Amino acid sequence: MRQIKFSFLLIVSVLMAFGAIAQAQQLTAQPTFSFVAFGDMPYNLPEDYGRFENLIRDVNKQNQVFNVHVGDIKSSENDCSDAYYQKIHGYFNQFDKPLIYTPGDNEWTDCNKHTPGKYDIDERLATIRKLFFDGKASLGKSKLPLTSQAKHPEFATYVENNRWQHGNVAFATVHIVGTNNNFYPDPKGNNAEFYDRNKANLAWLDEVFSQAKAANNIAVVLFTQADMYNPAKDAKEANAFIALKEKLQTLTVDFKKPVLLVNGDSHVFLVDKPLYVKGGKGKKDLDNFTRLQTFGEDNIHAVKVTINPATPGLFQIEPLMVQGN
């Protein structure tokens, strides 16, 4: 009986070892590839036009699969006109590789200020959606097919929320912006846009992670504009990021595999782990969650992220310093 039990345990151990080896071989066999991210630019105009052209030149020299602009295509004080948006749209199509874009607050929520032209912000958002998003593919000289949240009738407006896959990694943009995500604590304020978009974003995060689990993806990478983990934002009377952060925490814990969040907004290059294990003693990092914050404003540079399945950390993050900037 002991010999049978020992033989059974030996067989199980061997099978587990072969399974671990097969899983490691599967990861190692998957391709290494890169993407480039940047945002909050061009900012200081007109001088930043030339600096943004320098960035396009240097980014086009890379060997990445795609590029992502994480929003704020202008400062909050600059023009919100159709002509300006058309100019940026033209710049986006100068990138050789696909360019995916998620909107920032400066190009719509802040356009009701006097300096940018006192526009209606809902009208500006509708214009951005019409110009920059077709619900099918990226911008850039090469097009990348995208799956838009707009395919769901309930969320038909949200053409800017897109997902795609490459190298067994799930990627997605989520339309979350600074300026408290267009939420106003004043009870008399009209927050209908915020509530509708927040509902869409929460549903979108569920879909992105559900699809990633179904496809057995090795990681999830999200792109958004807002810096949701800036302590200064938590001091506001109402923090419009609470439900989103809780949702992201829950989904990351459940996913168990690496999750990378790429955001702009604060204009400081940063890599950190802002999520902590709930219920533990002290502040234990949620190890499978990493946040990357891009350069911006005066610092017109990009960040190159290489995904290497053969490495424990999966994500290799390096600043891409633009010559002449």
Side-chain angles (χ1 to χ4, degrees), residues 117-133:
K118 297 188 72 173
Y119 289 89
D120 178 89
I121 64 173
D122 293 331
E123 184 275 331
R124 288 294 82 189
L125 178 55
T127 297
I128 286 169
R129 284 171 169 157
K130 183 178 180 180
L131 177 61
F132 289 95
F133 305 97

Side-chain angles (χ1 to χ4, degrees), residues 146-202:
L146 304 173
T147 299
S148 173
Q149 189 179 21
K151 66 186 175 62
H152 301 297
E154 182 182 3
F155 302 116
T157 302
Y158 299 93
V159 289
E160 69 273 22
N161 281 347
N162 288 288
R163 60 180 175 86
W164 64 101
Q165 290 197 31
H166 187 87
N168 201 24
V169 175
F171 296 91
T173 55
V174 190
H175 188 181
I176 309 168
V177 298
T179 316
N180 209 36
N181 207 12
N182 198 38
F183 180 84
Y184 297 91
D186 183 354
K188 297 180 181 179
N190 180 5
N191 288 308
E193 188 285 327
F194 162 78
Y195 285 118
D196 288 346
R197 182 167 44 82
N198 202 50
K199 178 182 177 182
N201 284 335
L202 293 171

